[in-house]
Amino acid sequence: MGGTTQTDGRRERSRRTAAKIVTAARRRFVENGYVETTVESIAEAACVSPQTVYYVFGTKPRLLDAALDATIAGDDQPVALIKRGWVDAVETATDAEGAVRAIAALAVAVLARVEPMLEVARRAASVPEVAAIYDETRRRRRLDQRQLVELLAGHGHLRDGLAVDDAADVVYALMSEELMVSLVTECGWSVERFGDWFADTLVAQLV
């Protein structure tokens, strides 16, 4: 019993250390860019040694990947976005519009959170490892979005005649950081206004 308690304690300390490093890395990457950010500066911000950063994450690209994952998820728990509790709002929606609006609310929250980190990766895409991370992040996002569309289709929430493939393409095009940057950053919309427009547009396209 004592050994199990000690092991659990070490795991929790390791988890907290990793989370602290990821938080510091995310802040430094957004402030200074990927290339300009050093492991030493991340370690200083996290109040750990550079050796600890390397021990936990191995390389700076792997740390960027971890920071992106944590930003998308909103925490450091290893649970896929599609398997999180918010899906209950889609599952229990009594009508198609309510289900689509639940998805839209999640999408806007995630986009607002992750857009700065995606911009970090995009700007550093000349680094091969970063380009691979950026591409994989977008690939996983498209897969998650298709699963959401399949969930809607399974509950009969897609409008008649709309194929899952076509709906998934529409969702991928609309649920993008580029669109949010265009309307919020460049056109000056508030995130709330963007969220309302996005939900209305998604309902119009899918329902």
Side-chain angles (χ1 to χ4, degrees):
M1 179 70 75
T4 301
T5 301
Q6 289 177 352
T7 300
D8 290 344
R10 284 195 296 271
R11 286 175 179 166
E12 178 58 22
R13 286 192 295 273
S14 296
R15 187 198 66 77
R16 288 199 302 265
T17 297
K20 187 164 61 171
I21 294 170
V22 164
T23 298
R26 185 166 55 223
R27 186 166 65 248
R28 286 288 188 259
F29 285 145
V30 171
E31 289 173 351
N32 303 316
Y34 174 82
V35 175
E36 294 79 5
T37 298
T38 64
V39 169
E40 288 74 18
S41 70
I42 293 170
E44 180 182 8
C47 299
V48 299
S49 69
Q51 289 77 11
T52 298
V53 177
Y54 285 118
Y55 177 77
V56 176
F57 293 99
T59 65
K60 192 167 78 165
R62 285 182 61 189
L63 179 52
L64 174 67
D65 195 21
L68 267 169
D69 282 349
T71 305
I72 292 169
D75 57 45
D76 62 343
Q77 299 302 311
V79 180
L81 203 63
I82 195 67
K83 296 184 182 298
R84 289 173 173 263
W86 66 266
V87 175
D88 292 344
V90 182
E91 293 274 17
T92 60
T94 57
D95 62 284
E97 181 172 339
V100 172
R101 289 188 180 278
I103 289 174
L106 168 82
V108 171
V110 172
L111 285 173
R113 197 165 58 228
V114 78
E115 187 279 321
M117 279 296 298
L118 287 172
E119 179 65 7
V120 167
R122 189 189 67 79
R123 287 179 177 273
S126 59
V127 180
E129 298 90 340
V130 176
I133 290 168
Y134 183 66
D135 290 344
E136 176 61 14
T137 298
R138 292 177 70 92
R139 187 196 70 79
R140 290 200 307 259
R141 181 178 70 188
R142 187 164 191 176
L143 178 61
D144 286 345
Q145 290 168 351
R146 182 180 178 86
Q147 289 179 298
L148 290 174
V149 170
E150 289 173 348
L151 186 63
L152 291 174
H155 286 278
H157 291 327
L158 294 183
R159 61 179 164 80
D160 291 343
L162 179 61
V164 168
D165 285 345
D166 292 337
D169 289 345
V170 168
V171 170
Y172 181 69
L174 288 174
M175 231 179 257
S176 68
E177 69 275 11
E178 293 91 347
L179 182 58
M180 189 172 198
V181 166
S182 294
L183 292 177
V184 175
T185 304
E186 297 175 2
C187 295
W189 286 23
S190 66
V191 173
E192 291 75 17
R193 180 184 177 189
F194 175 79
D196 290 342
W197 172 86
F198 179 77
D200 290 343
T201 303
L202 209 59
V203 167
Q205 289 294 318
L206 301 183
V207 179

